[in-house]
Amino acid sequence: MNSFVIELLEEKFQEFNQPNFIPNDPICIPHSFSQKQDIEIMGFWASILAWGQRKTIINKCNELVTLMDGAPHQFIIQHQSSDLKRFLNFKHRTFNATDTLYFIEWFKEYYAKYDSLEDAFARFLQETDYTTENALIGFHQLFFSLEDYPQRTQKHIATPLRKSTCKRINMFLRWMVRQDDKGVDFGIWHRIKPAQLICPCDVHVDRVARKLGLIQRQNTDWLTALELTENLRTLDPNDPVKYDFALFGLGVEKEM
């Protein structure tokens, strides 16, 4: 990797990994909460709904928070069946009420047994796992383990087994696992290491990474995300996905 690319990535990482990044990004949704479970629930939902314009994503997530009376975890575990009618008109792109109601049902079942969503991912990791691939595969299977889950909802939760880049789930894991002194990512999970994370590979990141020579693979799929992350590991083996800030920022700002 040439010195220009290295210096650019370091510079842009420092520029975008700042508190002023938060208000205009979907990560502002979980940042409006202090309770761990609220952060997890709305972080997960914000990442899954993160396609389209960021302003629209944020508005839709705020709509969800309002529908859950401003207290997602409390609503999830205490709601009655009659409370679910209010979600029948919720929609964002192809994510509709059927998907919303299943998310609520799954969260209710899960949080009745576990304190943190971290276990839904970390339980599938082996000591020797180099990446979170097994965690993503296992989580997908766990998420759709409820009886009579809606088939259509599967398209919203990616898995490496379908060769997806798993951009949204990888972004969510970055939010939960990465920790530094800038306060953008939360760092509230500790059973997954930052070194195991895979870089979220959206259209902006993919385009910029190719221009910088960080991706050679022709297709954009799970192997592409692995290739990109492996190249970023040469810069920081302990925290490769921190450069997601740089790649995304360069793409959004249309600097490349």
Side-chain angles (χ1 to χ4, degrees):
M1 196 179 304
N2 66 51
S3 59
F4 167 76
V5 173
I6 295 171
E7 290 172 11
L8 179 66
L9 291 176
E10 290 290 349
E11 176 192 336
K12 293 301 177 180
F13 161 63
Q14 297 294 341
E15 178 182 338
F16 289 102
N17 182 32
Q18 297 289 339
N20 61 11
F21 176 85
I22 296 171
N24 298 315
D25 188 82
I27 201 172
C28 73
I29 298 299
H31 267 290
S32 61
F33 297 96
S34 57
Q35 182 180 316
K36 182 178 185 179
Q37 292 83 1
D38 288 332
I39 293 170
E40 292 176 343
I41 291 167
M42 290 316 303
F44 183 78
W45 228 317
S47 66
I48 297 302
L49 296 184
W51 81 100
Q53 292 187 333
R54 287 193 287 172
K55 184 177 180 181
T56 303
I57 296 163
I58 292 167
N59 288 341
K60 280 294 173 180
C61 290
N62 281 325
E63 183 182 334
L64 264 179
V65 172
T66 300
L67 289 170
M68 290 187 279
D69 300 324
H73 181 246
Q74 183 177 332
F75 180 87
I76 291 289
I77 60 177
Q78 295 182 0
H79 72 270
Q80 305 298 314
S81 296
S82 58
D83 297 322
L84 298 176
K85 293 177 184 176
R86 68 183 78 166
F87 294 92
L88 294 178
N89 292 320
F90 182 80
K91 189 176 188 299
H92 174 60
R93 311 283 288 246
T94 64
F95 191 95
N96 67 15
T98 298
D99 308 312
T100 305
L101 293 175
Y102 183 73
F103 271 45
I104 293 171
E105 180 186 4
W106 188 85
F107 277 134
K108 184 174 185 177
E109 290 269 339
Y110 181 83
Y111 280 107
K113 301 173 187 173
Y114 302 97
D115 180 63
S116 171
L117 195 55
E118 180 176 15
D119 186 73
F121 291 90
R123 70 172 74 175
F124 299 106
L125 284 176
Q126 305 297 316
E127 281 287 325
T128 56
D129 278 355
Y130 188 55
T131 74
T132 53
E133 182 167 346
N134 284 329
L136 270 64
I137 293 171
F139 174 76
H140 185 273
Q141 294 167 345
L142 178 66
F143 195 82
F144 294 103
S145 62
L146 299 189
E147 191 175 355
D148 298 326
Y149 68 84
Q151 289 283 337
R152 59 157 285 116
T153 304
Q154 287 196 83
K155 67 184 177 183
H156 296 298
I157 307 294
T159 171
L161 292 181
R162 292 205 301 254
K163 298 187 167 123
S164 168
T165 63
C166 301
K167 169 250 177 176
R168 296 177 181 89
I169 300 286
N170 284 329
M171 182 170 69
F172 171 65
L173 291 181
R174 193 205 89 196
W175 293 354
M176 297 298 108
V177 173
R178 271 202 81 253
Q179 184 175 34
D180 56 29
D181 60 358
K182 301 302 182 183
V184 181
D185 293 326
F186 291 89
I188 55 175
W189 291 2
H190 307 290
R191 292 167 61 192
I192 301 171
K193 300 171 185 173
Q196 294 174 297
L197 297 174
I198 299 299
C199 189
C201 197
D202 70 357
V203 292
H204 299 295
V205 169
D206 183 79
R207 185 182 77 251
V208 173
R210 289 181 185 280
K211 286 187 176 180
L212 295 177
L214 299 171
I215 296 173
Q216 302 298 325
R217 185 172 171 78
Q218 190 170 3
N219 297 333
T220 299
D221 55 17
W222 177 249
L223 293 179
T224 310
L226 292 179
E227 178 192 6
L228 171 58
T229 306
E230 191 60 31
N231 282 323
L232 296 176
R233 278 198 184 95
T234 65
L235 302 180
D236 191 334
N238 295 317
D239 190 13
V241 304
K242 73 183 188 183
Y243 297 107
D244 179 35
F245 283 104
L247 295 169
F248 179 77
L250 283 165
V252 169
E253 299 293 323
K254 295 188 168 55
E255 294 185 31
M256 293 199 72

